[in-house]
Amino acid sequence: AVTAALVAHPLIEIRREEIAGLPPADWDSVIVATGPLTSEPLAAAVRELTGADALAFFDAIAPIVHRDSIDMSVAWAQSRYDKAGPGGSGADYLNCPLDRDQYEAFVAALLSAEKVAFRDFEAATPYFDGCLPVEVMAERGADTLRWGPMKPVGLTNPHKPDQKPFAVVQLRQDNRLGTLFNMVGFQTKMKHAEQVRVFRMIPGLENAEFARLGGIHRNTFLESPRLLDETLRLKAMPRLRFAGQITGCEGYVESAAVGLMAGLFAAAERRGETVAPPPATTAHGALLGHITGGHVVTIDAGPRSFQPMNVNFGLFPPLERSVVKTPDGGRLRGTAKTVARKQALSARALADLDAWRGALPAAAE
């Protein structure tokens, strides 16, 4: 339907050819909407303009867990050695402790789990920033993880202060809302079902719900929170806007949504009008917020923390009031409570989207 609309539009000319670089300077308003397998000449042009070290690499993604599915009677909040992060609290991580038996069983499960095989065109692409899959680290020795992302030093378990954990899994706050937490160092090429099985072996994550599971694939995307403004313009060259997967969204619907927003912003700018970004309570606004500034900078030096994301409920601001009862006054529990919360978030999003659309300039609407 999208293709048919574009082909039929009288003001759109479609040329099916490779774009080998950025457009000339007299093109004063351009949207670059290249995908995850951007060809090398165009990627090189973007890389030179943005100063990025690399755009094509194995994108090793760690799973992201919904904060409210973590068992805080087992896990606790603390930064290693109480080092303060961006929030300045000294408790910027959630920690899940493992004893020796739990650790050894976990490593064995990592090694035996089914993995995703690389495709032919991915074979020559290097890992990014030495960001190795957790199972590859486990293959290098039984204690490799304990000396790496699962090192237990600088932490004290308040639930069992007299017992030192043998290993610790840390989760780092992934978005400014504090609703999503990233499993630090747990990028993986395990199959999705295996990830759920293996990662729920970790104490405190037995009932974990994942906003995104890990993966490794060749990808091309910008470090958008640093490079793009809130209307998707490149800060280094505002005549260029970016849209689609190169901005750090994933999925066809999400790519189309970001393209729609880029088009609205560009059209309004050309007409001398202003279009406010969609509210953060909507799917469009939540995705735009993630792309242009919703991530959290890492506490310690290391790989950048911004990673591509599908739209999910973890990107939405929490409800002002939790949904705890049914319409007839009964108490919601378990899955029913989760469904009710998502329905309330959706209803709020639709109402706020209608209000935003009502305020758009007539031409944009």
Side-chain angles (χ1 to χ4, degrees), residues 67-93:
R67 168 65 175 78
D68 57 9
S69 70
I70 300 171
D71 185 353
M72 293 305 295
S73 69
V74 175
W76 75 94
Q78 182 188 9
S79 299
R80 189 168 279 114
Y81 300 111
D82 298 316
K83 181 179 178 180
S89 67
D92 298 272
Y93 293 85

Side-chain angles (χ1 to χ4, degrees), residues 176 221-235 241-244 246-249 258 261-262 265 277-278 280 284-297 306-309 315:
R176 296 190 188 281
F221 68 96
L222 298 172
E223 193 175 356
S224 294
R226 181 173 65 85
L227 298 174
L228 303 183
D229 69 13
E230 66 174 4
T231 66
L232 300 168
R233 292 183 304 185
L234 187 68
K235 295 175 184 177
R241 276 185 169 84
F242 284 81
I246 197 169
T247 64
C249 66
V258 176
M261 289 186 284
F265 295 144
H284 286 78
L287 191 60
L288 183 64
H290 168 72
I291 289 169
T292 61
H295 78 309
V296 175
V297 177
F306 175 67
Q307 294 286 357
M309 181 81 76
L315 298 180

Side-chain angles (χ1 to χ4, degrees), residues 263-325:
L264 286 173
F265 295 144
E269 183 177 80
R270 174 54 54 88
R271 295 172 61 89
E273 299 170 342
T274 300
V275 171
T281 52
T282 67
H284 286 78
L287 191 60
L288 183 64
H290 168 72
I291 289 169
T292 61
H295 78 309
V296 175
V297 177
T298 54
I299 295 172
D300 303 307
R304 63 190 184 190
S305 61
F306 175 67
Q307 294 286 357
M309 181 81 76
N310 293 92
V311 70
N312 64 80
F313 283 105
L315 298 180
F316 289 67
L319 297 165
E320 292 183 6
R321 296 180 62 183
S322 298
V323 182
V324 296
K325 293 185 178 180

Side-chain angles (χ1 to χ4, degrees), residues 12-32:
I12 294 176
E13 177 187 353
I14 295 178
R15 298 184 185 179
R16 303 189 184 280
E17 60 193 54
E18 180 181 358
I19 303 298
L22 294 172
D26 59 346
W27 289 34
D28 65 336
S29 183
V30 179
I31 297 173
V32 180

Side-chain angles (χ1 to χ4, degrees), residues 203-218:
L205 300 184
E206 293 90 345
N207 298 305
E209 295 295 332
F210 297 92
R212 182 193 70 197
L213 289 163
I216 294 182
H217 52 277
R218 186 179 183 274

